Amino acid sequence: MMRKPRATTAKAVDYRDMDSDLSFAQTVSSDENSEEWRPPEPKPKAPSKTARDPAAGEQKAPAKRTAKPKEPKAPKQPKAPKVLKDPKPRALRKPAAERKSLAAKVLKDSGPRGLAGTKRKKKYEDQTDMDGENQTDCPEDEMAKESGTSVRMKEERLSFIVPEAHQTDRWAGEGSSLAGHTAKKEKVEEEDFTFDEPCQKKQKTSGACLGQTTALASSKAQSLTNELNMNWDLIELLSILSCVERWVCANIILLLREENTVPFMVRYRKEMINHMDADAVRDVQLVYEELCSLAKKTQSVIQTLKKDGVLTTELEQNLRSCRSADELDHVYTPYKKGSKLTKARRAKALGLEVATSTLMDAPHTLDLRAWIKPGTEGLSSLEEVATGVEHILADMIAKDPETLTYVKTLCENSFVTIQSSVSKAALKEKEQDKSLQGAKKPGAQQSKSKDIDKFHLYFDFTCNIKSIQSHQILAINRGESLKILTVKVNIPDRVKCDFTRWCINNRWRPRTFAREELRAIIKNAVEDSYKRLILPFLTRSYRTKLTSTAEKESIAMFVRNLRQRLLVCPVRGCVIMGVDPGFRHGCKLAVLSPTSQILHTDILYLHNSDRHREAEKLRHLMIKYSCTRVVIGNGTACRETESFFADLISRRYCHPLDVSYCITNEAGASIYSVSPEAVKEMPDLDPNLRSAVSIGRRVQDPLAELVKIDPKHIGIGTYQHDVSAGALKAALDGVVQECVSFVGVDINICSETLMRHVAGLNVGRARSIAEWREQNGPFINREQLKLVKGMGPKTYQQCAGFIRINPQTSANSSSRPAPAVPEKPAARKGKGKTCVSIPASFNPLDQTCIHPESYSVAQRFLSLVGGSADQIGSAGLRRCVESKVSSSTVEELAKTVDTTPETLKLIIDGLTQPPGFDMRQNFGQADFKRGIVSMSDLRVGAVLTGRVDNTTLFGAFVDIGVGRSGLIHKSNITLDKLPVSQRRRSLALGPGERVEVRVLNVDPQRGRIGLDLIRVLQ
C-alpha cells in the first residue's frame, strides 16, 4: 500500500499543498500564487491541451511504457512550437497546464492499484478537457496581439504596464556592479571603448523587423539550458509564460546576460526587442529571473531528497520537469519531512501504516483487532486503532495531487465567497467607548475608536472571490491585521458532498470488497481530511492569491502615479517663492532663482494679529527679487495661506507685479529636509527652511527634486504599507531610472542624487563623476566620461546616451585643455585608460539623444542631407532632413547609411529637436491661479476643470481649487470619456492630468465631493 502514495504524488501537477506538515508552500512567490487562482481562464492550459489533443492517439502508448532513459533528451528539442516534445510526454508537458492537467506516468513500484487510479484519472481529464474546449490559446494569438500592440507603443514614456516586481532588477538597477567585473576580467573590453560589436547584433536582428525570427545561437541556447539543468527549454518556456515571441525572448536574455539596462534596451536596441516598452521588457525580465530562481530551488530540493535517501531517477526527472514553484511544491511535498507532532505521524510511529495499506489494497484480509495492544497509548482499543488508520489515510488524501486538483476544480465551478465581519474584540472596545462617552477619553482610545469606524463598510461584508476589488482585499487584510475584522473564505457544502462521493467511489475506493466498518473508516478519513487539512489549504490558497493580485494592482497604481508625477513639465525662466505654511511656527519662505539657486529665506507669521506688517515684508521681498510665482505646500494652514495670498492678489498689493500662486503636494518634504542629502546640499539652512526650498523646486524641476525623496514618501497610490516592500521598491526604482534616463541629465549641473538614477550608474559611479567634475571642471564632451574612475566600457555604453553636454554649461571650459590622463594606472580597473585618446573639443552630438556608438552613422546621414553637426536643432537642418525623408523612405535611407531604421529614426529625432529639448514639455504643468473658491460655493451639476492629484484602486482624486479634492469613482471613468491613447490603462488617469468634471454631490460635514468625469483635457 505504501507504494501507492509515491505512484500518485510523483506526478508533476500544479497545485499548492498545505496542511499542518506543509510549510514549503509558504515560500512560493506571490507571482505564482496570483496565477494559480486567477478568475479568468488559465492561460497556459490551452497550449497544453492543444498540444495534447492532436497527438493523443500517437502518444498514448509511449506514455504507458514510461520511457525513462529518454527523458534527458527534452532540452535538445527547442523547435517545438508550443510545448516541449519529450519521449515521455505526459510527465513533461502536462505540468505546464495549471489546475487540471495530471501526469500519467506511474513509478516502478506503484503496482496495479496505481494503474487503476491512473485510468480513472484519465477519464476525469477527458471530461475536464471537454469542458475547457473554448479556452483561449496564449502563445500564438496572444503573441501576435502583443506584437501588434508593442509596435504602436514606440515612445518610451508611454509605458503604463507595471512589472510584477518581486525581485530587485539585477541589471537595470542603480547598484549593479557587474559591468565593472566584466571590464576587469577582459582587458580587450577595458581598452576598447568603441562600439563596433553591437553592429553585429543589429545585423543579426535586422531581419526581426521584417518578421523573421531571430534567436540565440544554438550553442548559447544549449548552454543556457545546461546552466539551469532543467528538462525544458528556457527560451521556449519564457515565450509561453510571457506571451512574447520566442526570438524577442532570446534577444532579451542575451541583452540581460550582457548586463544591459532596461532603458538602454528600450531606446537603443528597439529592433532586438520588437519595440517593447520598458514595463513589458521588465515583465519578461521578471519571468526570466523567476525561472532561474525555480531552477536554483529545484537543485536545492534534489540535494535535500538525496541526503534523505528518497531520491530516485524518476523523481529527479519529475522535479526537473516542473515549470513553476507550485509544480515543484506539488512534486516535493509528499517527500518532505513534516512535523513529528501531527496525528498522522504519531499513528505511523505506532506502526499503523501497514494497516492503512492493507485497508486500501486487501481490506478483506484486514483485522483491526489484531493491532490492539492493551496499555499502549493509541492502540489500547479498537476505536483508537481505527482513529489512527483514519489519520494516516486523511494525511495521504490531503497530499495526493490528483485529489487536490479535483477539489480545486470543484471550487472553480462553485460560488466561493470571502466574508469579513467585525471581531469580538473590536465590538467589546466599541461598547466600552459608548459607555465612556460622557467621560473624556484618552487620545489612544479616541484613535482606536476612529480606526474601528474606518472599517464599518466591512463589518458585514460578503463578496464572490472572482468579483472582489483589489482595494477591498487590502482593506480587509489591514482590518484583520489590526484585529478589527475577522475574515473567512466560504466554500459551498456542495463541494464537500461531491468531493466525498468522488473519493469514496473513485479515487480512494478499496481494491477488493470491504466490510461496513472498514468503509466507515474510509468515509471518516475523507471527511476528516477535507475539514481538517484540505479546507484550510484551500482557504490559504485563496487568500494568498487574492492578496498577491491586489498587491500587483496597488504597485501598478504606484508606478503609474510616480511616472506621471516625475514627468510633470518644469516651470522655467522665472523666480519662484516656495512657501511651507504653518500656524504657530509661521510660514517658511524660500525665494529661488530661475536656476533653483537660493536667493533668500525667511519666516513670516501670516496668521497672527499683525498681518499688515507681515504683508509689507512679503511685498518687499517679491518686488526686490521680481518674484511673480508663489508655490504653497498643501500641508497644515494651506487653506489659510492661500486665502492670504488670494486677498493680496485681488487688491493688487504687489503692483506692478502680476502675481499668481499654485498649490503643490508637499509629501516627503519634511523627511527630505532632515536627510543626509539635504544636509549636504544646504548645510547652513534650518530644516524648516529646507522644506520651503524643496516645495519651490518641486515646481521648477519636479524630476530633479523628487528623485531626492524615497518614492514611497511622495504621497502616491494607496495601501503602500500593505504591499510587499521589496516588490514596491523594485518597481518604483525601475520607473525612476526610466524617467531620469529618458529625460536625460546635463552632466555639468545635475546633482549627484539625480545622476545615480541614470541607467548604468550607481551611487559610487555618480560620486566619482561628481568628484571628477569638482577637480577638473565641467565636462567638455562625453568622451571625458571614460577618464572617470570606475567608468568601464559597459558602464559608458549604458549611460552615455542619457547624459547631455550642453554648450552653455561647458562654455567656460572650452578653452581649457583636456585633463591629462593619469600616468599611473588604477589598481583595479584603470589598466586600459593610459591608451585612451580623449578629444579636447566640444561635439555638438553630445547634446542630443544620439548614442556615441551611432556618431559615425549620424555624420554619414548629415553628409547625405547636406548639413553639419553645428546646425543641430536649426530650422534649416530640419527642412533638409524633412525634404530627404519625404523624397525617400526611412528604410532606404537606413540602408544607404548602413544602419537599422530604428537607429536612423532616433538620429533624425536627435538632429531635428531644438537645443535643450525636454520631452516633459508635452506633459501638464502646475496650474497657477489668482482667486480662491470655497467648498460652500459648489453646486450639484456645476462643471469645473481640475487636475488629478492622486489615483487609487477605487477612483481618482481631483483638485478643483476648493481646498478639498473631489473623488471620481472608477465607475464614472468609462472608455468613451477617455482619449484613445489612454484606454488600455487600468484606470486611465494619473497625477497631473487636466480633466473636466461635473459635481455630483457635496458633503460639507464629511468634507467629501463626488465628481463625474466629462473628458480629459489635452
Side-chain angles (χ1 to χ4, degrees), residues 477-781:
N477 289 350
R478 181 185 292 183
E480 186 181 33
S481 64
L482 295 174
K483 294 182 172 52
I484 296 175
L485 301 176
T486 57
V487 186
K488 63 178 180 178
V489 175
N490 295 322
I491 298 177
D493 292 338
R494 183 178 64 84
V495 172
K496 178 183 177 181
C497 297
D498 292 347
F499 172 75
T500 304
R501 187 184 309 113
W502 178 81
C503 286
I504 295 174
N505 298 330
N506 293 275
R507 185 73 184 98
W508 298 95
R509 184 178 60 190
R511 285 188 58 193
T512 62
F513 175 76
R515 300 186 302 275
E516 182 66 29
E517 62 270 19
L518 298 183
R519 290 202 299 269
I521 291 177
I522 296 176
K523 181 180 179 182
N524 293 337
V526 171
E527 293 179 349
D528 177 56
S529 178
Y530 179 84
K531 180 179 179 180
R532 182 168 57 89
L533 302 175
I534 295 178
L535 195 59
F537 156 68
L538 293 173
T539 299
R540 288 190 295 265
S541 297
Y542 276 120
R543 293 292 305 277
T544 302
K545 178 264 169 184
L546 291 172
T547 300
S548 175
T549 303
E551 285 187 359
K552 289 178 185 177
E553 287 292 327
S554 182
I555 292 175
M557 191 69 64
F558 269 97
V559 166
R560 192 173 71 247
N561 288 354
L562 179 60
R563 184 184 284 114
Q564 294 279 119
R565 189 68 60 84
L566 293 177
L567 294 180
V568 170
C569 183
V571 177
R572 303 188 186 278
C574 63
V575 178
I576 282 183
M577 175 182 289
V579 181
D580 183 7
F583 288 117
R584 286 186 58 188
H585 300 289
C587 296
K588 282 69 69 176
L589 310 179
V591 182
L592 307 176
S593 71
T595 58
S596 297
Q597 300 300 313
I598 303 174
L599 302 178
H600 181 80
T601 57
D602 204 345
I603 299 178
L604 299 182
Y605 296 88
L606 304 180
H607 310 301
N608 289 354
S609 55
D610 195 3
R611 300 180 60 181
H612 180 71
R613 183 168 62 87
E614 301 297 296
E616 284 294 329
K617 287 184 183 179
L618 186 62
R619 179 172 65 175
H620 172 72
L621 286 176
M622 301 191 74
I623 293 178
K624 177 180 178 180
Y625 295 104
S626 300
C627 178
T628 59
R629 302 287 179 93
V630 179
V631 180
I632 304 172
N634 65 344
T636 305
C638 167
R639 191 65 176 166
E640 291 74 12
T641 305
E642 182 186 9
S643 300
F644 183 86
F645 277 94
D647 180 60
L648 296 183
I649 292 172
S650 64
R651 294 191 286 120
R652 300 179 60 82
Y653 195 74
C654 299
H655 185 77
L657 298 179
D658 183 15
V659 180
S660 58
Y661 70 90
C662 75
I663 309 296
T664 192
N665 193 327
E666 66 172 35
S670 300
I671 296 175
Y672 164 72
S673 65
V674 295
S675 66
E677 288 84 359
V679 173
K680 181 179 179 180
E681 186 179 2
M682 297 172 281
D684 301 327
L685 278 186
D686 180 84
N688 293 320
L689 295 175
R690 292 179 194 147
S691 297
V693 173
S694 177
I695 290 172
R697 287 177 175 173
R698 290 184 184 203
V699 173
Q700 280 190 320
D701 193 344
L703 180 62
E705 189 63 25
L706 292 177
V707 295
K708 302 175 184 177
I709 304 168
D710 191 335
K712 63 185 179 184
H713 295 148
I714 297 180
I716 53 175
T718 53
Y719 298 101
Q720 70 181 43
H721 301 294
D722 300 287
V723 301
S724 169
L728 179 61
K729 185 179 188 306
L732 296 183
D733 288 347
V735 77
V736 169
Q737 183 190 53
E738 172 193 334
C739 292
V740 172
S741 300
F742 289 160
V743 170
V745 298
D746 187 336
I747 196 66
N748 289 321
I749 61 174
C750 73
S751 65
E752 182 182 324
T753 307
L754 181 64
M755 204 186 310
R756 67 180 61 157
H757 293 287
V758 176
L761 300 183
N762 54 26
V763 177
R765 290 166 189 156
R767 187 184 303 114
S768 298
I769 292 175
E771 291 173 355
W772 193 98
R773 190 172 61 188
E774 292 175 4
Q775 296 171 3
N776 302 282
F779 288 86
I780 303 173
N781 51 51

Side-chain angles (χ1 to χ4, degrees), residues 805-824:
I805 309 290
N806 292 321
Q808 295 82 3
T809 57
S810 61
N812 59 348
S813 61
S814 59
S815 60
R816 177 176 53 80
V821 179
E823 296 180 2
K824 184 181 293 186

